[in-house]
Amino acid sequence: GIQVEQSPPDLILQEGANSTLRCNFSDSVNNLQWFHQNPWGQLINLFYIPSGTKQNGRLSATTVATERYSLLYISSSQTTDSGVYFCAVERGSGNTGKLIFGQGTTLQVKP
Amino acid sequence: KAGVTQTPRYLIKTRGQQVTLSCSPISGHRSVSWYQQTPGQGLQFLFEYFSETQRNKGNFPGRFSGRQFSNSRSEMNVSTLELGDSALYLCASRGRRYETQYFGPGTRLLVL
């Protein structure tokens, strides 16, 4: 099956720093989403981005589908950005509804 | 619109018991997917329901089952609970195929 790999597994930043999280996937996908998991466990949608570039405030994401990777950029990080970031992909027909998650990047932002 | 809701939020059961978890999707969403999250295995897909039919299933034993009602609400059931079933169970809903999946807050299940 498709493999999803995220890097780095852990990241520690000082408040105000910028960071880039990477997601590599091993096959073509119909859907790619980035999530932030809050301390209570809920997955918060950041981006739906099977291809192209999107921005939302201090966060932006780029997916290069032909090269099978996606990047999540966090600028001017804040302590509230701490948590686990997941990338998840969905294949085509026959695999509908099934998001395959990477193992996540744990981000800690220090004040 | 109200988000995805899950009940109960926390559960404690003992080995051998069964449990039923409930998920109410965003209004108008007909697809509901379920996921299990554990520290060792990460987030894994359980199954997806659409219009009361199971459309896709992950690699879990038959003790894990689900259903969807005509109002799109979904339940999942785990029978003969094992210690390894302790996990965060998340459900997600979506409006159309391949669109964004929106997740609920989850149900934390502890099996003693």
Side-chain angles (χ1 to χ4, degrees):
Chain A
I2 191 169
Q3 304 296 315
V4 181
E5 296 182 356
Q6 291 185 241
S7 60
D10 300 283
L11 189 56
I12 301 174
L13 300 173
Q14 285 297 131
E15 202 168 24
N18 302 328
S19 61
T20 301
L21 282 59
R22 187 177 180 102
C23 172
N24 292 333
F25 45 98
S26 59
D27 208 337
S28 60
V29 298
N30 287 74
N31 174 14
L32 188 147
Q33 291 182 241
W34 282 97
F35 298 93
H36 177 209
Q37 189 165 39
N38 68 21
W40 298 271
Q42 183 158 9
L43 289 171
I44 308 299
N45 284 288
L46 297 177
F47 293 102
Y48 167 82
I49 187 167
S51 64
T53 298
K54 290 185 177 180
Q55 181 158 7
N56 184 5
R58 297 182 296 105
L59 274 59
S60 63
T62 294
T63 298
V64 184
T66 53
E67 297 187 21
R68 298 179 184 163
Y69 73 88
S70 184
L71 302 174
L72 176 68
Y73 306 96
I74 304 174
S75 64
S76 304
S77 57
Q78 301 175 358
T79 56
T80 52
D81 295 331
S82 297
V84 185
Y85 290 81
F86 288 102
C87 160
V89 302
E90 183 178 359
R91 297 292 311 281
S93 61
N95 291 282
T96 180
K98 177 181 179 180
L99 282 174
I100 299 165
F101 286 80
Q103 289 302 306
T105 292
T106 301
L107 173 64
Q108 183 182 0
V109 181
K110 295 186 172 183
Chain B
K1 280 186 181 178
V4 179
T5 59
Q6 292 186 244
T7 57
R9 295 294 309 280
Y10 303 93
L11 264 180
I12 300 176
K13 293 285 188 179
T14 57
R15 277 181 298 174
Q17 288 186 310
Q18 73 167 14
V19 67
T20 299
L21 313 181
S22 180
C23 172
S24 292
I26 291 172
S27 177
H29 286 187
R30 295 163 64 191
S31 167
V32 174
S33 295
W34 288 89
Y35 297 83
Q36 180 197 63
Q37 185 177 25
T38 60
Q41 299 299 316
L43 279 150
Q44 294 185 291
F45 172 79
L46 282 155
F47 27 66
E48 187 223 12
Y49 285 87
F50 181 84
S51 292
E52 302 179 63
T53 300
Q54 187 181 90
R55 193 159 61 175
N56 201 357
K57 189 178 189 304
N59 191 24
F60 278 81
R63 300 185 298 106
F64 292 82
S65 63
R67 60 177 175 168
Q68 187 179 33
F69 301 94
S70 59
N71 62 357
S72 295
R73 188 177 70 85
S74 178
E75 290 181 347
M76 67 163 283
N77 184 275
V78 187
S79 62
T80 318
L81 285 165
E82 301 177 1
L83 296 179
D85 297 333
S86 294
L88 176 65
Y89 291 88
L90 294 161
C91 81
S93 76
R94 67 165 25 152
R96 295 182 184 177
R97 188 175 292 203
Y98 307 130
E99 286 190 345
T100 302
Q101 288 195 27
Y102 294 93
F103 281 78
T107 295
R108 289 194 182 275
L109 172 64
L110 176 61
V111 182
L112 301 175

